[in-house]
């Protein structure tokens, strides 16, 4: 009986990650910087855990594994050792933070020892059993060159996956940061182009709606205000030409939270304190609390409590109350001024700020009161 030749789709599944920035100083968060640095390293284990849970044996790392090429050699060893314990293949491209230059981290012996790990040194196709990789290793810190321009994957039958590091066109950055066209997958014939450099998870759908270009984002958030970071990307491609299936999986251990509250009434800080109690896992949370609006004299003690809770309960906490202004109706601080022309001026300004029917006059008086309040505070410091 003649055998029936049937094309079996070759599904490829892999984890895409980037921008680990191991060795990042995190000096802006005081002693918490130590835990920030440790988390960046230890979250590698969480990534490998995701791979294990899902039976994934391919890990693609698209640049900036290290903060720079001068990081502590012990850190390079630690990363290499962790990756060598992965029971699958690992492909790494150097990024603009850790470019492939003489004396780079990629000359460390651990990369030779870790037989399952390939640091890619040339932009050449790498044929695997079920797919072909098109890697774009960086050899300099910046360039106007599109790192994917050499790729021509169209003629290949296997699923084609690109690895690149740079700035996807249209991102708000004028620096010569290895520009990658939004339609790079279409131009190059890739099924998926895994990119690194930006720390937030981001996808770029093509004309057919399929996403073939994505930033995985960094595995651990690097700073306040970073949107949707602390993930890896699990990618599944059913067959050549099929739309990739993407899943962004959270792996980051530390939460960087920015809370902004507008104080608009006396006692508003009570709800800020209550809100702090509701934040989960404060020991692994870095919190930046921004307070705007009016500060009433009766709330100043509460502000001290808020600062105390934030500094002691959280891994790191900072209260930014620079734009808080004393409530104009609140005259208790005026009463504390020395009797004489300064206090008289303050009282006149307060009367104008509260009672004046002229809006412009009111605004100027309020502004002058605020300046007086600040000057007074500054005088208290001496
Ligand atoms: Mn980069």
């Amino acid at each position: 009986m003649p055998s029936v030749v049937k094309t079996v789709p070759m599904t490829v599944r892999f984890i895409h990650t980037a921008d680990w920035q191991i060795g990042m100083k995190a000096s802006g968060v005081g002693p918490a910087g130590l835990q920030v640095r440790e988390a960046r390293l230890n979250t590698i284990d969480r990534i490998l855990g995701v791979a294990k849970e899902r039976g994934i044996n391919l890990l693609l790392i698209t640049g900036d594994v290290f903060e720079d090429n001068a990081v502590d050699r012990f850190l390079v060893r630690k990363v290499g050792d962790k990756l060598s314990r992965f029971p699958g293949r690992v492909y790494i491209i150097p990024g603009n933070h850790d470019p492939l230059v003489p004396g780079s981290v990629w000359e460390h012996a651990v990369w030779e020892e870790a037989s399952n790990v390939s640091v890619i040194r040339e932009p050449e196709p790498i044929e695997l059993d079920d797919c072909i990789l098109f890697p774009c290793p960086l050899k300099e810190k910046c360039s106007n060159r599109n790192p994917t321009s050499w790729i021509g994957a169209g003629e290949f039958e296997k699923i084609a996956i690109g690895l690149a590091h740079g700035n996807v066109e249209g991102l708000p950055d004028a620096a010569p940061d290895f520009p990658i066209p939004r339609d790079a997958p279409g131009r190059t014939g890739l099924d998926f182009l895994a990119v690194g450099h930006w720390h937030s998870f981001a996808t770029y759908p093509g004309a057919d709606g399929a996403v073939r270009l994505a930033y995985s984002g960094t595995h651990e958030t690097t700073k306040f205000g970073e949107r949707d970071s602390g993930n890896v990307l699990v990618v599944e491609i059913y067959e050549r030409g099929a739309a990739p299936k993407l899943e962004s999986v959270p792996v980051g251990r530390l939460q960087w939270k920015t809370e902004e509250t507008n104080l608009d009434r006396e006692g508003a800080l009570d709800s800020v304190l209550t809100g702090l109690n509701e934040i989960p896992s404060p020991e692994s949370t870095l919190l930046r609390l921004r307070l705007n609006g009016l500060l009433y004299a009766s709330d100043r003690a509460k502000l001290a409590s808020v600062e105390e809770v934030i500094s002691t309960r959280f891994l790191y906490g900072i209260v930014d109350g620079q734009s808080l202004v004393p409530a104009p109706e609140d005259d208790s601080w005026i009463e504390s001024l020395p009797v004489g022309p300064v206090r008289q001026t303050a009282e006149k300004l307060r009367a104008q700020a509260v009672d004046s029917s002229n809006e412009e006059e009111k605004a100027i008086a309020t502004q002058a009161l605020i300046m007086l309040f600040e000057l007074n505070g500054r005088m208290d410091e001496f």
Side-chain angles (χ1 to χ4, degrees):
M1 218 168 83
S3 65
V4 179
V5 178
K6 205 173 146 194
T7 314
V8 180
M10 281 190 144
T11 301
V12 174
R13 290 168 75 226
F14 59 91
I15 285 183
H16 163 210
T17 176
D19 300 281
W20 291 356
Q21 314 268 157
I22 303 292
M24 188 187 91
K25 297 274 186 294
S27 50
V29 293
L34 179 66
Q35 288 192 55
V36 170
R37 292 193 290 278
E38 279 181 3
R40 305 201 75 71
L41 195 61
N42 292 333
T43 297
I44 297 173
D45 299 327
R46 295 161 79 105
I47 298 172
L48 302 185
V50 171
K52 191 178 174 189
E53 275 166 28
R54 292 161 183 252
I56 293 172
N57 58 13
L58 182 60
L59 181 59
L60 306 181
I61 312 178
T62 55
D64 290 358
V65 171
F66 297 98
E67 176 71 358
D68 53 56
N69 272 324
V71 299
D72 188 335
R73 298 284 122 171
F74 284 7
L75 282 177
V76 184
R77 163 66 62 185
K78 283 181 183 176
V79 173
D81 279 351
K82 281 182 188 295
L83 291 177
S84 72
R85 289 195 288 272
F86 178 58
R89 297 285 317 170
V90 181
Y91 293 88
I92 303 174
I93 57 164
N96 66 314
H97 272 261
D98 49 11
L100 193 66
V101 294
S104 80
V105 288
W106 309 115
E107 288 179 6
H108 195 290
V110 75
W111 306 119
E112 283 300 315
E113 295 165 30
S115 55
N116 63 318
V117 180
S118 302
V119 176
I120 304 171
R121 292 161 198 275
E122 296 303 330
E124 289 162 359
I126 299 172
E127 183 158 2
L128 308 181
D129 288 345
D130 46 8
C131 62
I132 304 183
L133 304 181
F134 292 83
C136 311
L138 298 188
K139 302 185 182 189
E140 53 197 334
K141 277 191 170 297
C142 53
S143 167
N144 281 317
R145 184 181 58 86
N146 163 14
T148 67
S149 60
W150 68 276
I151 301 174
E155 74 212 59
F156 293 87
E157 282 178 16
K158 286 184 178 176
I159 290 170
I161 302 159
L163 291 79
H165 190 92
N167 216 10
V168 171
E169 245 177 23
L171 281 169
D173 192 343
D177 259 354
F178 302 96
I180 297 170
R182 280 185 185 237
D183 61 350
R187 288 186 191 206
T188 55
L190 291 170
D191 289 292
F192 185 73
L193 176 55
V195 288
H197 192 43
W198 280 72
H199 290 188
S200 304
F201 167 55
T203 57
Y204 299 87
D208 62 350
V211 174
R212 295 192 167 85
L213 173 61
Y215 285 105
S216 61
T218 180
H219 69 324
E220 267 292 339
T221 302
T222 46
K223 60 182 181 192
F224 286 114
E226 213 167 65
R227 180 195 60 80
D228 208 354
S229 52
N231 314 295
V232 291
L233 193 54
V234 172
V235 183
E236 184 174 322
I237 305 172
Y238 179 64
E239 62 185 354
R240 180 83 164 125
K245 228 176 89 188
L246 271 54
E247 184 190 354
S248 181
V249 179
V251 290
R253 193 175 72 80
L254 304 182
Q255 307 301 316
W256 296 64
K257 227 173 151 49
T258 300
E259 296 270 312
E260 193 153 350
T261 304
N262 190 44
L263 305 181
D264 53 359
R265 62 192 155 77
E266 206 166 356
L269 275 170
D270 288 332
S271 51
V272 172
L273 267 171
T274 314
L276 291 181
N277 295 335
E278 286 161 7
I279 297 177
S281 315
E283 66 288 346
S284 60
T285 301
L286 297 97
L287 178 65
R288 178 174 67 179
L289 177 66
R290 281 196 174 138
L291 296 175
N292 310 313
L294 304 173
L295 181 62
Y296 288 82
S298 59
D299 276 351
R300 268 183 232 147
K302 279 177 203 151
L303 180 59
S305 302
V306 166
E307 284 175 335
E308 191 179 286
V309 167
I310 285 186
S311 335
T312 54
R313 192 186 299 164
F314 291 82
L315 168 58
Y316 171 81
I318 188 161
V319 180
D320 176 359
Q322 277 183 349
S323 42
L324 275 179
V325 297
E329 300 89 336
D330 182 353
D331 55 9
S332 53
W333 69 277
I334 295 175
E335 306 306 314
S336 69
L337 291 171
V339 178
V342 176
R343 195 204 279 194
Q344 278 174 6
T345 305
E347 281 167 348
K348 276 186 185 164
L349 287 170
R350 178 187 28 93
Q352 273 183 344
V354 177
D355 302 327
S356 178
S357 53
N358 180 329
E359 282 305 316
E360 195 186 340
E361 200 176 274
K362 212 170 168 163
I364 292 171
T366 303
Q367 196 56 37
L369 255 188
I370 291 164
M371 289 168 78
L372 195 57
F373 176 83
E374 284 171 351
L375 277 174
N376 183 51
R378 235 170 277 161
M379 282 187 286
D380 285 349
E381 288 167 19
F382 292 101

